[in-house]
């Protein structure tokens, strides 16, 4: 059977070749039958009636294609446009009286001749194996885009000549914007595709330059109709592309073209999820590109929500169900686009993630599906194997689609039933038999169908699950019209020991204005979520406390119903939420302020495994690299979300005892260091782009950046907590003179002043995503009255000659964070030199003791019977002052005391040098760690630092005795 069919295919190819050669000879033309181009042409004859018929009818076109070598090489970027331009220039010049409608006649002919040549070229290259799928899709998309833009230019110019030029109220001319949707917008057009177009113009106005003015709307409506005719009308020469304009606002019943404002208003007020889905692939394909970019920027918030949009789940599930129902109803088993495991399901897979996550992951704001699938794998949202299988299936299915359509230039996606057509398709795809092709096709489609079926799967509770009965009772406790006593009874049966408290919490939440004002969709989601919250809370040790914290969080996020959907769709996320907020009210409040972090609850592998310093830098660099066009707003948001995500991971690991206290501070410090480095780099790049680079010298050698960030306090001492400020000092090494290489040179010192201001602003500015870090710059020379960024020489002089003892105490905990390596080393040298200055012991003791008393007077307000574990006598800060005194007292003779900035290692060094005996050093270190741990736990639980005075009595007494021994007046 296969041999007979193979013979028929070969005979058909030979007959087409012979007929073509005769047509060439009859036209008085000639070509080399042994050339590479001729062999490619004959190869395509075996698979495409479309190619053969057009070459036979237009032998001059075919010979020109072979002679031009266009068959053998990919096009350059603008080559398609050059080909069309030459055809349009060959048209007879327009007369002054010629209308746009009259100009349409020769334009249609030129466009169709252009289309014929380029489609034949594309088909030959594809069928002969001279181009890969990506080139074929790009050429088809470029052909459509070039034809639309070329036609629009001619029609717009002619219409302006005859009826006037449209403009705004200031007289500025306006042009049409043509958005390509679907495969055209993504650069993935298939061989016989429609083109989906949406038309828009900037604003209302009227035409100028002619006696009778037209409204802009009338002008552009007429222009769009002409353009559709130029591209889509079927003439004796065929058509260029079928045009579908039904994706526009209001569809067929809406205006053909709209202003930007009206279009934006429509999408923001009436836009549906399927329209967001469609706009993912929107691209300006013709007309005013700059204005089109502005329009797409205005529509982006509708398409890509600036938060994780889990609220789209129900709409996506409905779309998926419609796809599956259509496959069953229309029996689309043989349809490689719409059938099960087809192209549409692959595209839906990628676009679902784009709708949900595209707003917070700019890398997903790509129209091309293969790029999207690659990003999903690289970001960890789908396994690499799934991404690879979908991409391979997509390429196989799209190649099959092209071979089907190239046969007769027909818009078909159905596999052939005729045996000869089947073998032709198999051979065009590189298979010897239909069965061999079908085996591979089915493997790809089965893989796609499996992955598609797993999307948006609902975890249905079994009717025999005892938990389902509990949830049903708890649903009544929330949704039913009950008295308080009845609600208490239901909650008590469910396991709430303080059912009256739980009932009061529910009823108060019901009465919240935000709850009452929720949309119908929001209330339905809340009705599904609250019973699950109650079921999870009742299993905790303090169910009423957990319920109160979760309801407080829901109160903050209930207007963002997408977050409610996340907790419904992912039961594991709700489980982790209950666990975390039950352990820490601080985490509950943190999630309330930053609900975008709820997404982190989906993956326990990352939630309880905070990355180390190197991984943090790699992660942030990757996220910032995906920020579109270095957008400052996006950068600030990306930095804030990065800090919040990683802080949550540390807190989750902390309360579950995955990390010990010292490691918690290490991780929080690494996060701050990573952020600071990125912020300095961003601010530096911005200022250099505007003003040029400052010239800097240190010790007679030129510096790189000449800027350094020094961390003091908890940052310097590697003891950051969750809510710690950043104590910072900025240094520079600027030479006198101005910056070089920028548009607006400024004085070098002014450059660094602006750099410091910009860094502080980027850290502390409050945005929709919150604040990055609060900063405290008061430890710089001369405090708040001093300049923000000090020259390193001035800083050196100040520390050596003017600084107070308390400033030298602060310097003990100072260390370089980020910036110019030479300047960081210079700071370290200054620090060592200052700390090793000889000091009068008694004077030092007096100044340290006096400073501690002043601090205690200003900060300590302890109640009777209470002990403040931070500020009280014998508490944590007393230990810090003891360490600082001993370092300043002995560093002149023990250089090793200047090495560390954290108290634990400083105490170890004091023991190693014999300044403090091993027993006392150990006891001080243990007291310090116990105090820190207690404060840390109380901070997580949002408790005060004051405890019952009977706690820590022995620790406190020991620290007080050591204080007296070390720092008391003689």
């Amino acid at each position: 059977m296969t041999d007979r069919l193979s013979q028929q295919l070969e005979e058909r190819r030979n007959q087409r070749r012979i007929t073509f050669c005769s047509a060439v000879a009859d036209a008085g033309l000639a070509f080399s039958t042994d050339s590479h181009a001729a062999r490619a042409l004959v190869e395509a004859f075996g698979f495409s009636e479309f190619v053969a018929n057009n070459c036979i009818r237009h032998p001059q076109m075919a010979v020109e294609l072979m002679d031009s070598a266009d068959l053998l090489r990919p096009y350059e970027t603008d080559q398609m446009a050059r080909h069309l331009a030459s055809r349009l220039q060959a048209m007879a010049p327009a007369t002054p009286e010629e209308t746009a409608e009259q100009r349409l006649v020769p334009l249609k002919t030129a466009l169709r001749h252009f289309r014929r040549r380029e489609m034949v070229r594309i088909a030959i290259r594809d069928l002969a194996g001279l181009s890969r799928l990506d080139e074929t899709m790009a050429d088809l998309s470029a052909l459509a885009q070039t034809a639309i833009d070329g036609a629009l230019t001619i029609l717009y110019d002619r219409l302006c000549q005859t009826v006037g030029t449209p403009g705004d109220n200031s007289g500025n001319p306006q042009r049409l914007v043509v958005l390509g949707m679907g495969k055209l917008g993504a650069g993935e057009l298939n061989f016989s595709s429609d083109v989906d177009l949406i038309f828009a113009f900037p604003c209302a106005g009227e035409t100028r330059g002619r006696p009778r003015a037209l409204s802009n709307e009338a002008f552009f409506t007429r222009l769009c109709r002409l353009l559709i005719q130029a591209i889509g009308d079927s003439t004796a020469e065929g058509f260029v592309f079928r045009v579908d304009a039904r994706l526009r606002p209001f569809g067929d019943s809406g205006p053909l073209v709209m202003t930007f404002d009206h279009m934006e208003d429509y999408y923001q007020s009436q836009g549906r999820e399927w329209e967001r889905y469609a706009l993912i692939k929107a691209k300006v394909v013709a007309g005013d590109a700059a204005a089109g970019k502005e329009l797409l920027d205005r529509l982006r918030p509708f398409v890509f929500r600036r938060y994780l949009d889990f609220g789209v789940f129900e709409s996506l599930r409905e779309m998926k169900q419609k796809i599956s129902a259509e496959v069953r109803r229309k029996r689309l088993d043989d349809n490689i686009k719409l059938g099960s495991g087809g192209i549409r399901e692959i595209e839906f897979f990628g676009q679902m993630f784009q709708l949900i996550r595209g707003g917070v992951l700019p890398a997903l704001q790509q129209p091309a599906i293969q790029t999207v699938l690659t990003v999903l794998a690289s970001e960890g949202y789908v396994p690499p194997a799934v991404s690879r299988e979908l991409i391979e299936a997509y390429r196989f299915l799209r190649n099959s689609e092209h071979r089907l359509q190239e046969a007769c230039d027909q818009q078909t996606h159905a596999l052939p039933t005729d045996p000869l057509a089947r073998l032709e398709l198999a051979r065009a795809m590189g298979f010897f038999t239909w069965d061999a092709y079908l085996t591979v096709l089915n493997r790809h489609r089965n893989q796609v169908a499996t992955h598609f079926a797993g999307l948006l799967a609902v975890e249905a509770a079994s009717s025999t699950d005892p938990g389902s009965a509990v949830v049903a009772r708890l649903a009544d406790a929330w949704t039913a019209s009950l008295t308080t006593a009845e609600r208490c009874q239901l909650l008590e049966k469910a396991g709430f020991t303080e059912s009256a408290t739980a009932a009061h919490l529910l009823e108060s939440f019901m009465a919240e204005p935000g709850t009452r004002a929720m949309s119908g969709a929001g209330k339905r989601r809340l009705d599904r979520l609250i019973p699950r919250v109650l079921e999870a809370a009742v299993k905790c040790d303090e169910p009423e406390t957990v319920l109160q914290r979760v309801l407080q969080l829901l109160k903050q996020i209930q207007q963002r119903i997408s977050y409610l959907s996340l907790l419904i769709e992912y039961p594991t996320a709700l489980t982790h939420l209950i666990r975390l907020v039950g352990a820490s009210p601080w985490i509950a409040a943190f999630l309330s302020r930053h609900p975008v972090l709820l997404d982190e609850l989906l993956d326990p592998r990352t939630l309880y495994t905070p990355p180390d310093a190197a991984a943090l830098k790699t992660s942030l660099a990757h996220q910032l690299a995906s920020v579109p066009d270095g957008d400052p707003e996006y950068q600030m948001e990306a930095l804030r979300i990065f800090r919040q995500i990683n802080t949550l991971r540390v807190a989750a690991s902390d309360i579950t005892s995955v990390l010990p206290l010292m490691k918690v501070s290490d991780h929080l410090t690494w996060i701050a260091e990573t952020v600071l480095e990125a912020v300095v780099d961003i601010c530096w790049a911005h200022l250099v782009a505007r003003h040029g680079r400052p010239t800097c010298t240190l010790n007679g050698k030129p510096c790189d950046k000449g800027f350094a960030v020094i961390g003091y306090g908890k940052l310097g001492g590697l003891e950051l907590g969750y809510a710690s400020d950043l104590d910072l000092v900025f240094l520079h090494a600027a030479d006198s003179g101005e910056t070089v290489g920028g548009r607006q040179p400024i004085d070098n010192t002014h450059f660094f002043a602006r750099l410091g201001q910009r860094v502080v602003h980027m850290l502390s500015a409050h945005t929709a995503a919150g604040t990055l870090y609060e900063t405290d710059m008061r430890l710089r020379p001369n405090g708040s009255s001093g300049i923000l960024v000090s020259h390193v020489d001035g800083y050196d002089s100040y520390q050596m000659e003017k600084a107070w003892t308390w400033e030298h105490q602060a310097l003990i905990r100072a260390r370089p964070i980020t910036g110019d390596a030479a300047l960081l080393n210079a700071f370290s040298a200054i620090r060592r030199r200052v700390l090793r200055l000889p000091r009068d012991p008694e004077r030092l003791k007096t100044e340290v003791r006096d400073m501690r008393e002043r601090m205690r007077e200003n900060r300590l307000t302890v109640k009777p019977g209470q002990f403040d574990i931070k500020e009280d006598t014998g508490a944590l800060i007393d230990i810090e002052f003891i360490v600082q005194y001993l370092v300043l007292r002995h560093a002149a003779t023990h250089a090793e005391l200047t090495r560390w900035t954290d108290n634990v290692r400083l105490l170890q060094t004091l023991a190693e040098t014999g300044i403090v005996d091993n027993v006392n050093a150990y006891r001080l270190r243990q007291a310090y760690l116990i105090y820190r741990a207690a404060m840390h736990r109380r901070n997580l639980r949002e408790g005060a630092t004051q405890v019952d005075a009977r706690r820590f009595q022995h620790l406190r007494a020991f620290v007080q005795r050591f204080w007296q021994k070390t720092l008391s007046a003689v």
Side-chain angles (χ1 to χ4, degrees):
M1 179 70 171
T2 300
D3 290 343
R4 181 173 58 81
L5 293 174
S6 296
Q7 185 178 356
Q8 290 180 34
L9 283 178
E10 190 59 31
E11 288 173 354
R12 190 171 66 181
R13 184 200 309 272
N14 286 333
Q15 183 58 51
R16 289 170 176 172
R17 178 181 59 81
I18 292 168
T19 305
F20 170 69
C21 289
S22 297
V24 171
D26 291 344
L29 303 169
F31 68 98
S32 172
T33 57
D34 293 331
S35 68
H36 191 182
R39 290 197 298 271
L41 190 73
V42 173
E43 177 77 9
F45 282 174
F47 305 124
S48 174
E49 181 182 352
F50 163 75
V51 170
N53 286 348
N54 274 283
C55 289
I56 290 167
R57 290 172 187 160
H58 308 283
Q60 185 173 1
M61 174 201 71
V63 172
E64 183 271 326
L65 269 173
M66 289 187 283
D67 291 344
S68 68
D70 283 351
L71 287 180
L72 304 180
R73 63 191 177 198
Y75 272 171
E76 297 173 359
T77 303
D78 62 343
Q79 197 164 346
M80 192 82 73
R82 293 202 305 269
H83 282 310
L84 179 59
S86 65
R87 288 186 181 274
L88 296 180
Q89 289 168 5
M91 291 167 51
T95 63
E97 299 80 17
E98 188 177 38
T99 65
E101 285 76 9
Q102 292 168 329
R103 194 62 176 164
L104 198 57
V105 178
L107 176 61
K108 285 182 177 180
T109 301
L111 289 171
R112 281 148 184 79
H113 289 179
F114 166 70
R115 189 255 187 195
R116 180 172 61 220
R117 178 192 189 273
E118 298 306 328
M119 291 291 276
V120 167
R121 171 189 171 271
I122 291 168
I124 293 171
R125 283 183 57 76
D126 187 42
L127 292 167
L130 298 176
S131 69
R132 296 175 64 82
L133 173 65
D134 297 333
E135 181 193 327
T136 300
M137 294 191 299
D139 276 354
L140 289 165
S141 302
L143 168 57
Q145 188 167 338
T146 299
I148 295 167
D149 197 47
L152 177 61
T153 299
I154 286 180
L155 294 170
Y156 175 80
D157 291 345
R158 184 88 317 249
L159 207 55
C160 288
Q161 289 291 326
T162 54
V163 302
T165 302
D168 58 21
N169 292 333
S170 301
N172 299 310
Q174 292 193 16
R175 294 169 57 205
L176 185 69
V177 169
V178 183
L179 298 182
M181 311 293 284
K183 288 183 171 62
L184 174 59
E188 299 168 337
L189 212 60
N190 62 48
F191 194 79
S192 297
S193 179
D194 296 350
V195 289
D196 297 302
L197 304 178
I198 291 179
F199 305 110
F201 61 97
C203 64
E206 61 182 23
T207 58
R208 304 187 182 206
R210 291 294 176 186
R212 182 165 172 260
L214 278 180
S215 69
N216 285 354
E217 183 177 7
F219 176 96
F220 286 115
T221 299
R222 183 175 171 185
L223 176 61
C224 291
R225 287 176 178 154
L226 290 168
L227 179 61
I228 291 172
Q229 292 174 48
I231 300 298
D233 276 2
S234 186
T235 71
E237 302 281 356
F239 55 84
V240 185
F241 286 94
R242 291 171 290 267
V243 178
D244 190 338
R246 291 174 298 174
L247 291 179
R248 68 186 185 268
F250 303 107
D252 278 339
S253 61
L256 187 58
V257 61
M258 299 176 74
T259 65
F260 289 3
D261 284 347
H262 287 163
M263 188 167 286
E264 183 180 15
D265 288 345
Y266 168 83
Y267 285 119
Q268 294 296 347
S269 61
Q270 302 183 51
R272 290 156 289 182
E273 297 301 341
W274 71 262
E275 289 174 301
R276 292 180 59 204
Y277 186 88
L279 282 168
I280 285 174
K281 293 181 181 289
K283 174 190 174 185
V284 181
V285 296
D288 191 334
K293 181 180 182 302
E294 177 198 337
L295 174 60
L296 290 178
D297 287 344
R298 290 170 65 173
L299 297 182
R300 183 174 288 112
F302 167 69
V303 183
F304 298 110
R305 306 287 163 80
R306 294 293 287 273
Y307 51 85
L308 289 162
D309 190 7
F310 291 99
V312 77
F313 267 119
E314 290 182 16
S315 298
L316 287 171
R317 190 173 283 118
E318 289 174 7
M319 292 167 66
K320 180 191 171 190
Q321 290 168 349
K322 287 178 181 178
I323 291 171
S324 300
E326 184 184 22
V327 171
R328 292 191 300 269
R329 186 177 69 255
K330 295 185 177 180
R331 298 181 178 178
L332 297 171
D333 293 341
D334 290 332
N335 192 303
I336 61 172
K337 176 184 178 182
L338 304 178
S340 176
I343 296 167
R344 177 171 60 176
E345 292 184 359
I346 299 173
E347 293 175 333
F348 183 89
F349 188 102
Q351 287 178 266
M352 183 201 79
F353 283 96
Q354 288 181 281
L355 286 182
I356 294 172
R357 298 182 177 276
V360 296
L361 183 61
L364 281 177
Q365 296 178 18
Q366 304 282 343
I369 184 61
Q370 294 181 87
T371 304
V372 170
L373 292 171
T374 301
V375 170
L376 289 175
S378 66
E379 295 291 338
Y381 295 122
V382 301
V386 172
S387 172
R388 184 173 61 254
E389 288 174 2
L390 290 174
I391 290 173
E392 289 174 356
Y394 179 79
R395 298 184 71 83
F396 190 88
L397 291 167
R398 289 302 307 270
N399 277 324
S400 297
E401 175 187 47
H402 286 155
R403 307 300 195 272
L404 278 170
Q405 296 177 350
E406 286 161 355
C408 297
D409 191 19
Q410 291 181 350
Q411 192 180 34
T412 179
H413 297 90
L415 294 171
T417 56
D418 176 69
L420 186 62
R422 284 182 165 183
L423 184 60
E424 180 182 78
L425 173 59
R427 292 288 173 84
M429 286 293 292
F431 294 88
F432 188 72
T433 67
W434 170 254
D435 288 342
Y437 165 74
L438 194 61
T439 297
V440 176
L441 173 66
N442 287 339
R443 173 170 59 81
H444 283 306
R445 292 184 67 180
N446 288 337
Q447 288 175 339
V448 172
T450 299
H451 297 317
F452 179 74
L455 286 176
L456 306 168
V458 181
E459 296 185 19
S462 168
S463 58
T464 60
D465 179 3
S468 61
V470 175
V471 172
R473 287 199 301 272
L474 291 171
D476 289 341
W478 167 252
T479 59
S481 298
L482 305 173
T483 66
T484 300
E486 291 170 333
R487 186 168 284 109
C488 286
Q489 188 176 12
L490 281 176
L491 292 170
E492 186 175 358
K493 285 182 179 179
F496 283 90
T497 53
E498 297 180 22
S499 58
T501 301
H504 173 72
L505 288 170
L506 286 177
E507 291 173 353
S508 297
F509 186 69
M510 292 175 187
E512 283 287 336
T515 307
R516 295 201 308 271
M518 290 181 76
S519 65
K523 288 178 179 177
R524 287 192 296 273
R525 292 178 193 178
L526 203 59
D527 289 346
R528 292 176 60 193
L529 177 60
I530 293 295
R532 301 182 190 189
V533 169
L534 292 169
E535 181 192 24
V538 80
K539 298 174 183 177
C540 299
D541 292 338
E542 300 178 17
E544 293 79 19
T545 299
V546 173
L547 178 62
Q548 184 269 327
R549 291 174 185 171
V550 174
L551 291 179
Q552 183 63 30
L553 185 149
L554 293 180
K555 185 171 79 171
Q556 300 300 319
I557 68 171
Q558 61 187 351
Q559 296 306 315
R560 293 270 186 92
I561 60 175
S562 64
Y563 294 126
L564 304 182
S565 297
L566 182 153
L567 296 173
I568 294 168
E569 299 289 341
Y570 294 97
T572 54
L574 180 59
T575 299
H576 292 298
L577 174 66
I578 295 292
R579 180 185 188 187
L580 294 176
V581 302
S584 169
W586 181 88
I587 291 182
F590 190 64
L591 288 170
S592 297
R593 292 194 302 272
H594 309 296
V596 69
L597 301 181
L598 290 171
D599 180 52
E600 290 300 304
L601 305 178
L602 299 179
D603 190 352
R605 294 171 301 175
T606 57
L607 179 60
Y608 301 106
T609 312
D612 61 19
L616 285 167
K617 289 186 179 182
T618 301
S619 173
L620 182 56
H622 177 66
Q623 291 178 39
L624 291 174
S626 68
V627 171
D629 304 322
D631 186 316
E633 183 181 346
Y634 260 104
Q635 287 174 332
M636 292 176 74
E637 187 158 338
L639 286 164
R640 281 153 176 75
I641 292 174
F642 170 84
R643 189 238 169 156
Q644 293 157 10
I645 286 173
N646 286 289
T647 300
L648 177 63
R649 290 172 177 172
V650 174
S653 303
D654 182 7
I655 66 167
T656 54
S657 301
V658 173
L659 288 178
L661 173 61
M662 297 289 284
K663 290 296 183 182
V664 168
S665 292
D666 285 348
H667 279 273
L668 293 174
T669 301
W670 294 338
I671 294 168
E673 290 171 346
T674 303
V675 166
L676 277 168
E677 183 175 344
V679 167
V680 170
D681 287 346
I682 290 169
C683 296
W684 171 268
H686 173 83
L687 289 173
V688 167
R690 174 177 293 184
H691 302 299
R693 294 180 68 94
T695 56
C696 303
T697 305
L698 193 62
N699 298 325
K701 297 179 181 179
C703 295
D704 177 21
K705 288 184 177 179
F707 182 77
V709 178
I710 311 302
Y712 276 67
K714 288 185 172 61
L715 174 62
L718 300 164
E719 296 170 354
L720 275 185
Y722 293 109
S724 297
D725 295 349
L726 299 185
D727 294 302
L728 303 175
V729 167
F730 299 150
L731 302 178
H732 73 85
D735 296 334
S736 59
E738 291 189 336
T739 56
V740 294
R743 301 187 306 273
Q744 303 172 18
I746 58 173
D747 184 83
N748 288 332
T749 56
H750 290 168
F751 176 96
F752 286 113
R754 292 188 182 182
L755 178 59
Q757 291 166 355
R758 196 169 185 87
V759 168
V760 171
H761 171 75
M762 202 163 200
L763 291 170
S764 58
H766 188 80
T767 72
T771 299
L772 195 49
Y773 284 100
E774 295 294 343
T775 59
D776 189 337
M777 308 299 298
R778 292 175 296 176
L779 289 174
R780 65 187 187 267
N782 296 309
S784 298
S785 62
I787 56 176
L788 183 63
V789 187
S790 303
H791 193 285
V792 64
D793 292 342
Y795 178 84
D796 189 359
S797 299
Y798 179 86
Q799 291 291 344
M800 294 294 292
E801 301 168 8
K802 299 180 182 179
W804 297 86
T805 297
W806 68 263
E807 290 177 287
H808 288 174
Q809 288 178 249
L811 191 61
I812 294 171
R813 291 163 62 81
R815 63 185 178 91
I817 303 297
T818 187
D820 189 303
L823 193 53
L824 296 176
N825 289 334
F827 164 77
S828 296
I830 293 169
R831 176 179 175 274
R832 285 192 298 270
R833 192 166 63 252
V834 171
L835 294 184
R836 298 198 64 196
L837 288 172
R839 292 174 172 83
D840 176 78
E842 291 306 316
R843 179 181 176 186
L844 175 64
K845 184 184 298 185
T846 300
E847 290 175 348
V848 170
R849 188 175 59 246
D850 290 348
M851 173 55 67
R852 180 69 191 103
E853 290 304 318
R854 284 199 297 273
M855 284 179 61
R856 208 183 326 265
E857 288 173 6
N858 292 330
R859 297 183 182 180
L860 183 60
T861 53
V862 67
K863 298 176 182 177
Q866 296 284 302
F867 168 57
D868 192 309
I869 54 180
K870 180 180 179 182
E871 299 287 350
D872 228 320
T873 59
L876 183 136
I877 293 182
D878 276 4
I879 300 174
E880 292 180 347
F881 267 64
I882 288 169
V883 171
Q884 291 162 12
Y885 164 74
L886 291 172
V887 169
L888 293 178
R889 169 72 177 82
H890 297 284
T893 55
H894 295 85
E896 56 266 56
L897 288 173
T898 64
R899 180 179 180 185
W900 305 114
T901 60
D902 61 285
N903 287 296
V904 171
R905 284 183 290 190
L906 283 171
L907 281 166
Q908 180 65 34
T909 307
L910 288 168
E912 291 170 354
T913 55
I915 296 168
V916 179
D917 66 86
N918 286 330
V919 173
N920 281 324
Y922 173 80
R923 294 184 67 184
L924 283 170
R925 188 164 63 249
Q926 289 302 109
Y928 183 74
L929 290 173
I930 290 169
Y931 284 149
R932 271 195 65 197
M935 284 182 57
H936 185 74
R937 295 295 171 205
R938 296 186 73 80
N939 287 338
L940 273 178
R941 297 181 180 277
E942 296 191 329
T945 58
Q946 295 185 9
V947 298
D948 190 295
R950 290 169 293 185
R951 292 190 63 190
F952 308 115
Q953 283 182 332
H954 296 296
L955 287 180
R956 183 183 187 186
F958 165 72
V959 174
Q960 288 173 330
R961 288 196 302 272
F962 198 88
W963 176 277
Q964 290 297 321
K965 175 183 174 182
T966 307
L967 280 161
S968 64
V970 177

